[in-house]
Amino acid sequence: MDTTIEEKYLTEVTHQLKRKITEVEAALNINEDNYKELKHYTIDYKNELDKYEVYNHQQHLKFLDSRSVLEANVLKKLKYQKDTPYFSKITFQFADEVEVEDFYIGRYGFADQYGEQLIYDWRAPISSLYYDFSLGEAFYESQQRKFHGQLRLKRQFEIKQGAISFVVDTNDAVNDELLMRELGKSTSNEMKTIIHTIQKEQNEAIRDTKTKNLIIQGVAGSGKTSIALHRMAYLLYQKKEELDASDILIVSPNQVFADYIATVLPELGEDELPQIDIVKLGSLFIEESYQVVNRHDELQAVLEEPHSKQAEAYRYKQSKKFYNQLLKHVEEVKSRLYASEIIIDEQHISSSEIKRLVDQQSEQNLFELIQELTKLLSKRVSELSREKFAKQLEQVFKKRIKTTGSLADYYQFLSTKQLEFSRKRNVINYSDLFPYLFFKSMIEGIKPNKKIQHLVIDEMQDYSLLQLVMIERLFPCQKTICGDIHQSLVANDPSFLADIQAALPYSRLLKFRTSYRSSFEIMDFASRFIDATEIQPVRRHGKEVEILDYQQNTLAQKLADFKASEYKSCGIICQNWQEVAKIEAEFPAEQLTRFEKDTKKIAEGIILTTAQYAKGLEFDQVILPDIRSQQLTQKSTLLYTSCSRALHELTLLVRD
């Protein structure tokens, strides 16, 4: 391949970028000078300015300030582009045209001073040709029109510091050599963008702007979280006039994970998205001053004492059976409305008549239903006596249902099922938070949040069907829901995916089966712990998985090997916190960073934690130091999760 043409084009693009950088820097300097001058003027003449002049100056200062922020962001993008302007080139021949056109695709778009587009944003409609098609017939869609033609060339680049270091022509979405080079890199304490390695099925999810509830089931390392975030970047690009970063909310499992993914959107040129954990999300809808037990504390107790009553109650409350019990309870309460005939002031209202009206109002909560029944049935009396009749009738209905939707009523329901709940005043267990919200919404109703326009829910397998249904009620907006049923901390119902797809309106399920994170040897080994035949590890080969007898000096040697290597992170993932403490006691001189519920940021080096906190993250090397020999032949989502955190090396130390 003659790269002369490519070198020439890169030189021209770099020249234009440098020209633009100089222009923006000059504008920033002028802006700063104007700001300082106006600020000094306002201070020097503050006693001579009337209130209208002061107001106008303040508004002008705000304008200059916001313009500086905007231009600073433009400058940041331009400086990135100067080093890495684009990562691919496609040559497309439009139907019925003789000439072919070249399109260069990068993280950001760029046009010269004459408006000629030198680089196309990866989210631009024409860029989909790069991700979706091999050479030959192809099309892209823009403004509800399809443009057909022939894709004549797909060329991929690796450009560093403004120079081409690698270039290859390919027929695939991503050349295998380029993909392997990318996957072979070490970990980082920040999630990176994947725009130059997005696969066709991933691109389909990213560019889906129409599905209300997009459910992504992806095996470990399939890129599901990254794809969800890139989908947000794509939506913000496509709907920039109607969607802002503040309109999107991410439900993340913990603060470290939130911090880990926080840089993706800013790297793609969008504002950072607000994030919230599931407890705070639910607590937004509780008017009372209740305290919710920390989710991680409750979950840790369940995982470490799996046979306790608390664990049994927790698992039951996560089940589809419990959700159906709640639905059944509400229907039983509703049936009390027509349990018998009602007689008020010689007016006889039969049970069948009330039931007929109840059946016609099935979508309302119980209090709304009572109000609607009262309104309809009060029409049988004259207007003069209607108000009095309505009040009496409403009192009869409320007396019959014997509930107010309060926490005490919900706990009464739990006691009839002989289920555990918090006995402390104004305290709610995490496992009761969403069931209580569901109970409350069905009885008295909860006003949904209409401000959030898109909700991203990660690690869906750790939430119950009831929780996801309740989130749909609270946030009736578009959603991206992703996770892996094989990585659930607490076992889900076998029909979990089908159930949430049926329960959430206008939903679409996508399955990602290819695992990119770990080497082939690691994923092939990890697969033994789950009942999943659809996992397709990418053919990036590495070291065989080591299974060694636990000896203190063996672990010491593995840590020494890590410190002597080029790897940046080593995760020691224990099965419980007792084992964590034991490792810390055995290696007092080692710099071990404990990762637990209060950890705010993931660090490089040696991380000591459990599967509960390691899920969602990745490490160059992983050591499981407390495996029992019988576990090697048993199914375990926790072991599968722990093993699949490793990119390059995995070691299991077996203790009998």
Side-chain angles (χ1 to χ4, degrees), residues 359-621:
D359 292 342
Q360 291 173 357
Q361 311 292 329
S362 58
E363 294 301 315
Q364 296 171 309
N365 65 63
L366 212 52
F367 282 12
E368 288 175 340
L369 177 58
I370 288 173
Q371 290 176 349
E372 188 64 23
L373 290 176
T374 301
K375 179 182 173 182
L376 293 172
L377 292 170
S378 295
K379 291 179 180 179
R380 61 173 56 220
V381 301
S382 66
E383 287 190 25
L384 287 174
S385 55
R386 189 168 296 170
E387 185 177 350
K388 179 185 175 185
F389 181 84
K391 286 182 178 178
Q392 290 177 299
L393 183 57
E394 186 173 349
Q395 287 176 352
V396 170
F397 282 138
K398 286 187 174 180
K399 191 174 181 180
R400 282 190 169 188
I401 63 173
K402 298 176 183 175
T403 184
T404 62
S406 68
L407 183 61
D409 285 346
Y410 169 69
Y411 284 165
Q412 177 60 33
F413 162 75
L414 291 183
S415 66
T416 63
K417 305 298 177 185
Q418 298 183 322
L419 288 171
E420 294 280 319
F421 57 89
S422 175
R423 303 286 177 175
K424 296 179 182 178
R425 183 177 176 81
N426 295 334
V427 174
I428 306 177
N429 288 333
Y430 160 70
S431 57
D432 287 317
L433 175 57
F434 278 85
Y436 165 56
L437 287 173
F438 185 81
F439 182 88
K440 186 181 178 74
S441 73
M442 296 291 281
I443 303 297
E444 67 174 70
I446 297 177
K447 187 177 180 181
N449 181 306
K450 296 289 182 72
K451 183 184 180 299
I452 297 300
Q453 296 185 42
H454 200 110
L455 196 69
V456 180
I457 303 172
D458 204 358
E459 304 290 348
M460 66 175 177
Q461 72 279 357
D462 291 332
Y463 305 128
S464 66
L465 173 64
L466 184 151
Q467 285 175 300
L468 294 172
V469 167
M470 194 60 226
I471 289 173
E472 172 67 24
R473 285 170 173 258
L474 299 176
F475 296 90
C477 59
Q478 195 177 37
K479 296 177 193 65
T480 303
I481 304 168
C482 57
D484 180 11
I485 55 173
H486 307 301
Q487 295 185 64
S488 58
L489 292 172
V490 177
N492 277 316
D493 292 297
S495 59
F496 179 70
L497 280 177
D499 289 339
I500 61 172
Q501 194 176 4
L504 303 183
Y506 310 108
S507 61
R508 178 190 183 197
L509 174 63
L510 293 178
K511 292 187 177 182
F512 294 162
R513 295 179 171 85
T514 304
S515 176
Y516 299 97
R517 177 195 294 128
S518 309
S519 68
F520 179 87
E521 287 75 13
I522 290 171
M523 280 309 297
D524 186 51
F525 178 84
S527 298
R528 69 166 64 186
F529 297 113
I530 58 171
D531 291 315
T533 57
E534 72 269 21
I535 297 177
Q536 300 167 3
V538 73
R539 294 277 172 176
R540 177 178 69 84
H541 289 284
K543 289 184 65 175
E544 291 291 338
V545 175
E546 289 186 303
I547 302 176
L548 307 172
D549 291 334
Y550 180 84
Q551 299 290 338
Q552 189 173 342
N553 60 350
T554 306
L555 179 53
Q557 185 59 54
K558 296 304 298 183
L559 297 181
D561 292 344
F562 163 73
K563 288 185 287 186
S565 73
E566 295 181 354
Y567 294 153
K568 294 180 180 179
S569 62
C570 173
I572 303 177
I573 306 176
C574 301
Q575 297 186 68
N576 54 59
W577 289 102
Q578 288 77 21
E579 293 291 347
V580 169
K582 190 181 294 184
I583 297 290
E584 288 174 325
E586 289 176 349
F587 295 90
E590 288 286 353
Q591 289 187 324
L592 306 177
T593 302
R594 184 186 272 227
F595 172 22
E596 53 192 340
K597 69 175 183 181
D598 295 324
T599 306
K600 302 297 182 186
K601 189 176 178 68
I602 194 70
E604 293 182 350
I606 303 171
I607 309 299
L608 191 56
T609 189
T610 65
Q612 179 183 351
Y613 295 94
K615 66 198 316 283
L617 301 178
E618 58 185 36
F619 305 94
D620 290 318
Q621 179 178 346

Side-chain angles (χ1 to χ4, degrees), residues 4 99 113 115 137 157 174 194 299 368 399 478 513 537-538 543 582-583 645:
T4 306
E99 298 293 324
Q113 68 266 44
E137 289 188 13
F157 304 90
V174 179
I194 58 166
L299 195 51
E368 288 175 340
K399 191 174 181 180
Q478 195 177 37
R513 295 179 171 85
V538 73
K543 289 184 65 175
K582 190 181 294 184
I583 297 290
R645 300 307 93 202

Side-chain angles (χ1 to χ4, degrees), residues 265-377:
L265 270 292
E267 279 194 15
L268 295 172
E270 304 294 345
D271 291 339
E272 185 179 340
L273 300 180
Q275 300 193 46
I276 194 170
D277 67 32
I278 190 72
V279 171
K280 288 181 181 175
L281 185 80
S283 299
L284 293 174
F285 298 90
I286 298 180
E287 297 173 359
E288 305 89 341
S289 57
Y290 294 138
Q291 178 187 349
V292 182
V293 173
N294 186 285
R295 174 191 180 222
H296 299 294
D297 288 342
E298 189 173 350
L299 195 51
Q300 182 179 321
V302 170
L303 293 174
E304 299 202 352
E305 297 290 340
H307 303 297
S308 66
K309 283 188 176 181
Q310 181 186 6
E312 185 181 337
Y314 183 97
R315 287 191 293 269
Y316 183 70
K317 290 172 188 175
Q318 291 284 106
S319 70
K320 181 182 177 181
K321 185 176 180 181
F322 179 66
Y323 170 53
N324 288 333
Q325 286 286 343
L326 263 176
L327 287 173
K328 184 180 178 183
H329 173 73
V330 173
E331 288 303 313
E332 287 174 353
V333 173
K334 190 185 292 185
S335 69
R336 297 171 193 167
L337 295 170
Y338 51 83
S340 61
E341 179 185 45
I342 296 176
I343 304 173
I344 300 175
D345 295 339
E346 299 182 354
Q347 288 289 331
H348 291 250
I349 308 173
S350 68
S351 173
S352 59
E353 183 178 1
I354 300 170
K355 185 179 186 306
R356 178 178 59 80
L357 292 174
V358 167
D359 292 342
Q360 291 173 357
Q361 311 292 329
S362 58
E363 294 301 315
Q364 296 171 309
N365 65 63
L366 212 52
F367 282 12
E368 288 175 340
L369 177 58
I370 288 173
Q371 290 176 349
E372 188 64 23
L373 290 176
T374 301
K375 179 182 173 182
L376 293 172
L377 292 170

Side-chain angles (χ1 to χ4, degrees), residues 75-91:
L75 185 62
K76 184 179 178 182
K77 290 181 185 178
L78 289 169
K79 287 184 174 180
Y80 169 84
Q81 287 182 299
K82 183 170 67 70
D83 289 338
T84 311
Y86 46 82
F87 55 82
S88 73
K89 167 188 175 180
I90 56 173
T91 299

